[in-house]
DNA sequence: CGCATCGCTCCTAAGAGCGATGCGGTGCTTTAGT
């Protein structure tokens, strides 16, 4: 298709497509539904941007973060593509109104799953000719949709209201069952599926045992003293992020900052910017940091605490070495860590007694629908729990099932979801604590891939990593500290 | 579960010591209006 290349040059001044881009775009142009799992940096956004500009009508892009939308719009505008906008709460009433009453003059509209549900918005959009319904970072559907941001589960209904335009779902990591979940939630009929390998061959993979928190701190500092910079340290809580960044500043010569969702937007922007510009060596963060971060030269990603599933893990380590140069993923494991992720999962769901209480309260008030506000004010629900409960309550009622069984339905959902989440956590932990098989191989297997050839610097089990090789081949003398061992090794290698 | 924090106790005071309590991650949205 010479035509595509013509438009590629016209709008983006590129002369050639990256791998798979062209095939995906061709399928999108034929109005097929497409699911594409592409490594970060492989030009996912172009897959909807180019068709959006060529086709008649409006392309809607569902995006999980306001910052992502803003970046994308800005980038497009810099390329001279002006007929694009992000519709979200950053806008004033006037701006929102302007966009809604001029929808036909836009080619691409970025919007969150929450905003698109708003009555006005949906009403106006439904009157448009929607050429494509794109879902960016589609793993959010599976990762966030069921509990945290249930509006993600409503996307297939939204798409129906919009006249069922063709859909393109894009993500960087989804194991087969997550993929199925996404396809099912979006109700994609007969989709074309593209999958890149998730293998990042320039990233070597390490798991380092530590018997307790004290030892982990020590190992962390030892690593930081020898690892090339910059890098990221993932932790599980906000407080830990702050404490570790202070510790690193005190005990090393490095600059370190923390980053988490509890900080103001200004602080987050500032710290992110400093890191992107190379002014910070180490960033200690929760899982708030990452999506949309495109820093090419991150040399290591160190997990001080491990995430709840291998999808998150692969996403997080994938932030290292985007420039293709050798990089390292290190995970510090300690038995003490096992409690925290379990607590997090439990905490995602309202407690059974709350559910009982809420059901009684709602019936007492003879309400057909329950509202989040009611649950928070009358039943003491947290916001996310209230939204979770409301979503499934309404879902049940919309399908006009027996009213008295809604409580059992919600309890069943919770049971099922906890089961799913604990299974994923178990798979993560099995991967961490299995010291027999190549870590890369097991990771690939989880994502339904077969390992073809191993990179030279594969993983700690394969003994390919210089850090690991030293530890395994030469049994270190007892008096030697981690620091000495690593330092001597690095001097040897360089 | 494990840790940090809170408030109580002691009673000359301040601050140490105690048990009880609660917190722990991810983000969107949100009024009025020519």
């Amino acid at each position: 298709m010479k035509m595509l290349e013509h438009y590629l040059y016209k709008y983006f001044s590129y002369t050639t497509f990256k791998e798979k881009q062209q095939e995906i775009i061709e399928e999108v142009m034929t109005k097929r539904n497409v699911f594409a799992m592409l490594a970060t940096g492989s030009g996912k956004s172009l897959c909807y941007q180019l068709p959006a500009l060529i086709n008649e009508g409006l392309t809607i892009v569902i995006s999980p973060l306001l910052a992502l939308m803003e970046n994308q719009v800005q980038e497009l505008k810099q390329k001279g593509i002006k007929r694009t906008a992000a519709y979200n709460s950053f806008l004033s009433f006037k701006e929102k109104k302007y966009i809604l009453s001029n929808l036909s003059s836009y080619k691409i509209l970025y919007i969150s799953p929450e905003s698109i549900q708003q009555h006005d918005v949906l009403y106006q959009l439904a009157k448009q000719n929607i050429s494509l319904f794109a879902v960016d970072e589609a793993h959010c559907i599976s990762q966030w949709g069921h509990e945290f941001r249930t509006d993600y589960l409503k996307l297939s209904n939204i798409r129906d209201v919009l006249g069922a335009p063709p859909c393109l779902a894009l993500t960087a990591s989804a194991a087969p069952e997550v993929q199925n979940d996404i396809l099912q939630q979006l109700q994609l009929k007969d989709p074309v599926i593209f999958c890149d390998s998730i293998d990042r061959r320039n990233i070597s993979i390490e798991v380092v045992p530590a018997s307790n928190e004290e030892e982990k701190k020590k190992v962390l500092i030892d690593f930081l003293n020898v690892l090339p910079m910059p890098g990221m340290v993932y932790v599980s809580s906000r407080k830990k992020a702050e404490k570790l960044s202070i510790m690193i500043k005190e005990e090393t010569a490095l600059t370190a900052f923390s980053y988490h969702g509890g900080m103001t937007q200004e602080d987050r922007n500032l710290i992110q910017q400093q890191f992107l510009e190379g002014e910070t060596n180490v960033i200690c963060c929760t899982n708030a940091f990452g999506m949309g971060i495109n820093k090419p030269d991150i040399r290591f990603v160190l997990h001080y605490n491990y995430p709840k599933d291998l999808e998150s893990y692969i996403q997080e380590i994938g932030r290292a070495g985007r420039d293709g140069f050798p990089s390292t993923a290190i995970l510090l494991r300690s038995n003490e860590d096992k409690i925290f992720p379990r607590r997090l999962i439990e905490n995602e769901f309202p407690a059974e007694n709350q559910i009982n209480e809420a059901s009684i309260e709602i019936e007492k008030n003879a309400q057909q629908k329950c509202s989040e506000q009611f649950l928070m004010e009358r039943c003491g629900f947290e916001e996310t729990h209230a939204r979770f409960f409301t979503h499934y309550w309404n879902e049940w009622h919309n399908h006009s099932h027996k009213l008295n069984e809604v409580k059992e339905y919600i309890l069943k959902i919770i049971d099922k979801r906890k089961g799913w989440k604990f299974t994923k956590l178990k798979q993560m932990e099995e991967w961490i604590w299995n010291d027999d098989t190549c870590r890369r191989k097991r990771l690939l297997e989880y994502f339904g891939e077969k390992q073809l050839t191993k990179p030279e610097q594969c993983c700690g089990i394969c003994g390919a990593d210089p850090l690991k090789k030293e530890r395994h081949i030469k049994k270190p003398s007892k008096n030697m500290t981690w620091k000495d061992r690593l330092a001597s090794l690095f001097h040897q290698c360089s």
Side-chain angles (χ1 to χ4, degrees), chain A residues 24 28 32-38 44 48 132-139 141 166-172 179 182-183 186 188 192 194:
Chain A
I24 293 171
V28 170
R32 290 274 307 264
N33 291 321
V34 179
F35 173 91
M37 186 175 102
L38 295 181
K44 279 196 286 290
Y48 60 78
L132 179 65
F133 188 83
V135 184
D136 200 11
E137 308 286 0
H139 60 279
I141 294 174
C167 179
L168 168 64
L170 294 162
T171 179
Q179 222 176 87
I182 295 170
L183 294 178
L186 285 174
L188 287 199
V192 192
F194 292 90

Side-chain angles (χ1 to χ4, degrees), chain A residues 400-453:
Chain A
S400 61
H401 297 286
K402 288 178 204 158
L403 297 183
N404 54 350
E405 285 170 9
V406 57
K407 193 179 87 184
E408 282 65 35
Y409 171 68
I410 293 178
L411 290 173
K412 230 169 79 188
I413 295 267
I414 292 180
D415 218 45
K416 204 175 101 194
R417 287 297 304 164
K418 272 191 195 171
W420 160 284
K421 296 211 149 189
F422 279 120
T423 306
K424 297 221 145 249
L425 175 60
K426 234 175 115 190
Q427 288 168 320
M428 177 82 232
E429 288 171 345
E430 273 166 12
W431 181 84
I432 295 174
W433 268 274
N434 179 316
D435 291 336
D436 301 327
T437 325
C438 168
R439 296 198 191 281
R440 185 178 303 269
K441 183 167 174 255
R442 283 174 56 93
L443 207 49
L444 291 175
E445 278 168 4
Y446 176 80
F447 283 91
E449 288 184 45
K450 274 220 167 112
Q451 191 176 37
L452 298 171
T453 55

Side-chain angles (χ1 to χ4, degrees), chain A residues 381-399:
Chain A
F381 272 56
E382 283 173 27
E383 188 203 349
T384 44
H385 291 167
R387 201 173 36 242
F388 173 89
F389 188 96
T390 311
H391 172 80
Y392 291 102
W393 177 279
N394 289 339
E395 189 182 73
W396 181 266
H397 281 247
N398 289 342
H399 290 91

Side-chain angles (χ1 to χ4, degrees), chain A residues 277-306:
Chain A
E277 282 163 19
E279 292 162 23
T280 306
N281 296 130
V282 181
I283 196 138
C284 292
C285 57
T286 61
N287 55 352
F289 191 74
M291 236 196 290
I293 300 296
N294 216 341
K295 184 172 171 59
D297 60 344
I298 297 176
R299 293 277 66 89
F300 69 90
V301 170
L302 189 149
H303 280 88
Y304 193 86
N305 301 109
Y306 58 86

